[in-house]
Amino acid sequence: MAAGTEEAALGYEEARDELIEVVRRLEAGGTTLEESLALWERGEELAKVCRRRLEGARARLDASLAAERAIETEEAGDEDEDAG
């Protein structure tokens, strides 16, 4: 599976859980240098997936809050016009 396809397929929770397992295995030791390097690289990929998912969630939250503020500002403007 290509990295971009895999990233699209992994949700935040899946990537986080797999990253936790990678860290656990690295901390436990007992792996060869090649295995450790492969685990490290996988951990880096998973961390990127988590970071992108969180950034996407933050962007959606910011957009939602901005839309809410715009509606509130518009409603406040309408009230001012009605009072005047």
Side-chain angles (χ1 to χ4, degrees), residues 23-32 35-36 39:
V23 170
R24 187 197 63 73
R25 289 183 60 196
L26 285 169
E27 288 178 341
T31 57
T32 66
E35 291 170 332
S36 294
L39 284 168

Side-chain angles (χ1 to χ4, degrees), residues 67-77:
E68 185 176 318
R69 282 192 298 270
I71 290 170
E72 289 172 357
T73 300
E74 184 178 303
E75 288 173 353

